[in-house]
Amino acid sequence: MVVNEGGEVYAGKIALQSLIERIVMENLHSLLLELDSSNAPRCEHDIYKLLSKATCEPEEDFIAKSEQMAFLFNDKAPVNSWGTYFGPYFVDFEENIESPSLSLVTKEMLDYWKERAETTKNALMKARYYGLIYDFQQHVTGEKVNYKIAGEYVISLIKACHDGVCSNFIEEVQKIERAYRVSKLFNKKEWIENCIETAINIEDRIIKHRRFDQIGRCFSLFIGEKEKFLTEEQRNKIILNLEKTVEQLAVCGDPWRTEEKGRLLAGYYRSINKKEEIARVLNVIANCGFIACEKQNPMTKSLIYQGLCKLYNDFNMNDEFNDITRKSANIREEIIKSMGKYPVPAVMAEDKNFDLQGGIEDVFGRISKKFITGEKEAKKLHDENTGNNVYDFLVQIGAIIITHYNDKGIPSVLSKNNNPAINSACQIILSESHALYDILLKAIEQYNADAEKIVDIFYKSIYFEDQKREIIKRGIHAFIEKDFLVAIHLLVPQIESVIHNLVKLNGGDIYEENRFGGLQLKFFERLLSDNGVSKYFDEDIISYYRIILTDQRGFNIRNDVCHGILLQERFDWLYAVRIIHILLCLSQAKALQDSPDSGE
């Protein structure tokens, strides 16, 4: 048989491809054998990463694809559209993309996972295989999950916690809670009792390692939800663990977590009408707060005392409530004495004659440049007024609501701010906002500009997305009508959307790996550091965005709004006008080829 040169080359390529595939499958087989017998602590995504390295193109091979998908599904995802426990590790709602997709799971894949679950000795892997079958079978085949699969799933989850193959306590707590929830669905006493025993053992180990912030789940699951199979001995053990936790947190001087765990305990004693125990627990919390106050500034003391007032009020302890209220009055006097002189910068005189000529678009351009205050510009004011405590002033007038805490449980916005430039920037922003608001309203009135006209100006920038036009229009209309609550809620997310588009269209990456191994949109704060943003806006403008939107030392509007922290009374003209101003600034980025020096 004669084969021409081209045929020989083609045959050679086939042989090479076949060799590569054989090597890859041998690598995968060896890896699976190693994992099956391993008890090394891992999370499922660690296994996925190992599988990814061992297989090049999983789409080309059923086994490789089945294995990678098994450990890529996310058991920590929020509620997904499938209505299942496991969900995709990555979702892009705008592009309608999810990975991996439930549509890729077949009956053959479920059968393969069942075979793997029956043969592997690794409890973590066994639990994942059985979990996927339990979760997906009815969606894929239309058949209800059988009792045996549910039982194997529960047993393997419990064994994974016993064998120490989970990467951390959080993983163990999540898995035992999942086992408990499945057991409750089948109302299987033996399973439920095993879950309770395992969960208490996990909590004992957590206490041994002094991870007190992770204590309380047993209480919520078994006592809070009134588990009927919980023995009296187990109940007492859970309460004892919670008592130890409150005691240790109080000794550590952590008033915030002491109150969090102490409230659970006091609530339990209230449910069984033990008034003396309630008083004892609340006094532990209060004493921890008093000791913490000794080292704190007056504002922090005030915040701690407010929390104690609410605590005693919630538990109807009127005498203690009245006592704390009287002490709070003394702290208010300390706050007033601690305040520094607040200098209002004399920068507004020229704004009375602000140039409103040349058309609404030109005026908006001038407004966007005029009222930007970042760290560099603010430093001069700070140098002239060293020693002022701007945050005492801002809290006093209600410009900032204290709701953020650092890793030590101290309100970070009240901690000593080691960046005086941001302090000064806040002062300038606050003092200029009245003028900004007045000038903006005058411009809108002079040019008879309604929401549609303003949105038309915004949309001369390519970074404003067409699908969001109606949202922005309604937000602008609400601002004009002085419905600031609606305006802020509608427009704050659109700022983030514009920044996303700016980064994406300039070749930046808007995604990053999350701690569960999946992908998520980058935090807004990180997007502001992208080259796509710095192409249009200089460092001082970007710092202005941060002070207004994301910096806890500043106004932090984006985070407070999106996390549901901001109180109703703070949805006012001050926040609304700064949101509009940032949209005006962003609208100055007109096209990809533009690269203005100062955000024009």
Side-chain angles (χ1 to χ4, degrees):
M1 179 177 181
V2 178
V3 180
N4 62 29
E5 184 179 350
E8 290 174 353
V9 172
Y10 180 68
K13 287 182 179 179
I14 293 177
L16 178 60
Q17 181 64 31
S18 177
L19 176 63
I20 293 172
E21 290 175 359
R22 189 164 66 251
I23 293 172
V24 167
M25 291 312 299
E26 287 175 358
N27 289 342
L28 176 60
H29 181 69
S30 298
L31 175 60
L32 289 175
L33 286 176
E34 181 185 341
L35 291 171
D36 284 346
S37 58
S38 172
N39 282 326
R42 291 188 176 96
C43 69
E44 288 84 351
H45 196 73
D46 292 335
I47 297 175
Y48 165 73
K49 288 180 178 178
L50 291 172
L51 291 167
S52 297
K53 291 178 181 178
T55 55
C56 300
E57 298 179 357
E59 299 295 331
E60 302 295 326
D61 182 86
F62 172 75
I63 293 178
K65 179 179 180 180
S66 299
E67 292 290 351
Q68 286 200 26
M69 282 179 58
F71 296 96
L72 191 54
F73 282 110
N74 191 355
D75 61 351
K76 302 172 185 65
V79 177
N80 62 71
S81 60
W82 307 347
T84 55
Y85 176 73
F86 293 98
Y89 92 107
F90 165 73
V91 177
D92 187 330
F93 292 104
E94 293 185 358
E95 302 294 334
N96 197 26
I97 297 172
E98 58 182 13
S99 176
S101 173
L102 181 58
S103 63
L104 298 175
V105 180
T106 62
K107 185 180 184 304
E108 290 73 23
M109 194 173 285
L110 293 176
D111 291 340
Y112 173 78
W113 287 336
K114 185 172 183 292
E115 180 184 336
R116 288 284 297 130
E118 291 170 348
T119 57
T120 184
K121 296 179 181 179
N122 185 310
L124 185 67
M125 297 176 73
K126 188 185 289 285
R128 173 51 66 100
Y129 294 131
Y130 277 129
L132 292 172
I133 298 167
Y134 174 83
D135 207 26
F136 292 160
Q137 182 168 302
Q138 188 164 357
H139 291 269
V140 175
T141 67
E143 302 171 2
K144 289 186 177 180
V145 67
N146 84 41
Y147 175 84
K148 182 180 177 181
I149 293 294
E152 293 291 350
Y153 183 29
V154 170
I155 291 168
S156 56
L157 284 168
I158 292 173
K159 192 171 188 303
C161 296
H162 279 305
D163 289 355
V165 294
C166 300
S167 59
N168 54 55
F169 288 130
I170 295 175
E171 293 279 339
E172 288 189 20
V173 170
Q174 181 194 358
K175 283 174 172 50
I176 201 61
E177 181 173 347
R178 174 63 171 164
Y180 175 69
R181 296 296 184 196
V182 173
S183 301
K184 290 289 286 182
L185 288 175
F186 287 85
N187 199 27
K188 181 71 173 175
K189 180 182 178 183
E190 181 184 352
W191 300 356
I192 294 171
E193 288 176 341
N194 285 338
C195 289
I196 294 171
E197 181 182 352
T198 303
I200 292 173
N201 288 337
I202 292 170
E203 203 160 78
D204 284 341
R205 287 188 283 117
I206 290 173
I207 288 178
K208 184 178 179 181
H209 286 80
R210 303 183 64 81
R211 299 297 299 274
F212 300 112
D213 58 315
Q214 297 177 25
I215 295 296
R217 199 67 196 124
C218 280
F219 179 91
S220 300
L221 279 178
F222 308 132
I223 295 178
E225 297 185 16
K226 299 179 180 176
E227 173 51 56
K228 64 181 180 181
F229 294 124
L230 184 70
T231 67
E232 192 63 27
E233 182 182 355
Q234 289 170 333
R235 180 187 303 276
N236 292 338
K237 176 64 173 174
I238 292 170
I239 295 299
L240 179 61
N241 282 345
L242 196 54
E243 288 274 12
K244 289 180 181 177
T245 297
V246 173
E247 178 184 342
Q248 288 300 313
L249 288 171
V251 169
C252 294
D254 187 338
W256 319 107
R257 286 177 179 161
T258 302
E259 180 183 343
E260 177 193 351
K261 307 302 180 183
R263 274 182 174 272
L264 294 176
L265 204 53
Y268 168 72
Y269 289 130
R270 180 167 58 182
S271 72
I272 58 176
N273 199 30
K274 287 193 173 183
K275 295 182 180 179
E276 291 182 0
E277 293 300 313
I278 297 172
R280 176 182 62 81
V281 173
L282 296 191
N283 286 337
V284 169
I285 299 171
N287 288 334
C288 177
F290 296 149
I291 293 171
C293 281
E294 293 175 3
K295 300 179 181 179
Q296 303 302 330
N297 61 50
M299 276 294 183
T300 306
K301 289 182 185 178
S302 176
L303 188 64
I304 292 174
Y305 271 74
Q306 287 175 38
L308 293 177
C309 283
K310 186 176 189 309
L311 179 70
Y312 281 125
N313 185 58
D314 289 346
F315 285 88
N316 299 317
M317 299 189 69
N318 296 327
D319 291 342
E320 290 81 357
F321 171 80
N322 292 332
D323 183 50
I324 295 291
T325 302
R326 285 192 294 271
K327 291 179 179 178
S328 296
N330 296 329
I331 295 176
R332 283 195 290 271
E333 293 178 7
E334 291 182 43
I335 292 173
I336 294 171
K337 290 178 182 178
S338 71
M339 289 183 181
K341 177 185 176 184
Y342 177 73
V344 177
V347 294
M348 298 311 302
E350 60 182 288
D351 295 323
K352 293 180 180 179
N353 299 314
F354 189 89
D355 184 7
L356 294 176
Q357 304 305 311
I360 185 70
E361 188 171 352
D362 289 342
V363 172
F364 279 177
R366 288 194 289 274
I367 291 174
S368 70
K369 297 174 193 175
K370 174 65 183 174
F371 293 94
I372 291 172
T373 303
E375 291 184 50
K376 289 182 180 178
E377 183 180 343
K379 191 174 184 305
K380 180 180 178 182
L381 179 66
H382 163 73
D383 292 341
E384 295 171 353
N385 299 279
T386 303
N388 296 323
N389 188 337
V390 67
Y391 275 104
D392 284 349
F393 174 80
L394 292 177
V395 172
Q396 181 193 27
I397 66 169
I400 293 181
I401 302 299
I402 309 306
T403 46
H404 302 283
Y405 303 92
N406 64 20
D407 57 359
K408 296 181 180 178
I410 303 301
S412 59
V413 79
L414 288 176
S415 301
K416 183 174 176 60
N417 185 357
N418 59 6
N419 192 325
I422 291 181
N423 278 349
S424 298
C426 288
Q427 295 183 55
I428 297 173
I429 289 168
L430 192 64
S431 63
E432 288 187 340
S433 290
H434 267 295
L436 169 60
Y437 183 57
D438 290 343
I439 290 169
L440 192 57
L441 291 185
K442 287 178 183 177
I444 290 171
E445 181 181 359
Q446 179 170 319
Y447 291 97
N448 195 25
D450 58 10
E452 185 71 43
K453 189 171 183 179
I454 294 172
V455 169
D456 285 342
I457 295 171
F458 286 177
Y459 271 77
K460 290 186 179 181
S461 167
I462 65 170
Y463 301 114
F464 284 75
E465 192 174 344
D466 287 341
Q467 293 176 334
K468 310 290 179 64
R469 183 185 180 96
E470 185 61 27
I471 299 174
I472 295 176
K473 178 182 172 183
R474 292 190 185 186
I476 298 296
H477 178 75
F479 174 79
I480 294 173
E481 296 297 318
K482 296 182 172 55
D483 189 351
F484 302 123
L485 186 149
V486 171
I488 292 169
H489 270 113
L490 289 176
L491 295 177
V492 165
Q494 303 318 311
I495 292 175
E496 192 160 349
S497 175
V498 174
I499 294 292
H500 272 126
N501 291 332
L502 195 151
V503 171
K504 183 165 61 175
L505 293 177
N506 282 279
D509 189 358
I510 62 173
Y511 298 105
E512 62 184 356
E513 187 172 337
N514 62 29
R515 63 192 179 97
F516 308 120
L519 291 181
Q520 64 182 21
L521 288 170
K522 281 184 179 178
F523 291 122
F524 186 49
E525 171 68 22
R526 294 179 188 167
L527 285 173
L528 290 174
S529 301
D530 190 273
N531 291 335
V533 178
S534 59
K535 174 181 178 181
Y536 291 100
F537 306 109
D538 66 21
E539 182 181 344
D540 217 35
I541 298 175
I542 294 171
S543 74
Y544 166 67
Y545 294 162
R546 285 195 172 99
I547 290 166
I548 296 295
L549 298 170
T550 64
D551 197 321
Q552 292 187 11
R553 299 165 299 177
F555 295 89
N556 202 29
I557 297 174
R558 180 266 179 199
N559 292 335
D560 283 355
V561 170
C562 293
H563 296 158
I565 293 171
L566 197 63
L567 298 180
Q568 180 175 330
E569 57 265 27
R570 296 314 310 139
F571 288 91
D572 60 8
W573 67 269
L574 174 65
Y575 281 14
V577 77
R578 286 296 169 178
I579 295 304
I580 294 291
H581 183 246
I582 290 177
L583 285 170
L584 284 175
C585 293
L586 292 174
S587 71
Q588 303 305 302
K590 290 291 195 295
L592 284 168
Q593 64 269 24
D594 294 344
S595 56
D597 296 329
S598 302
E600 294 184 14

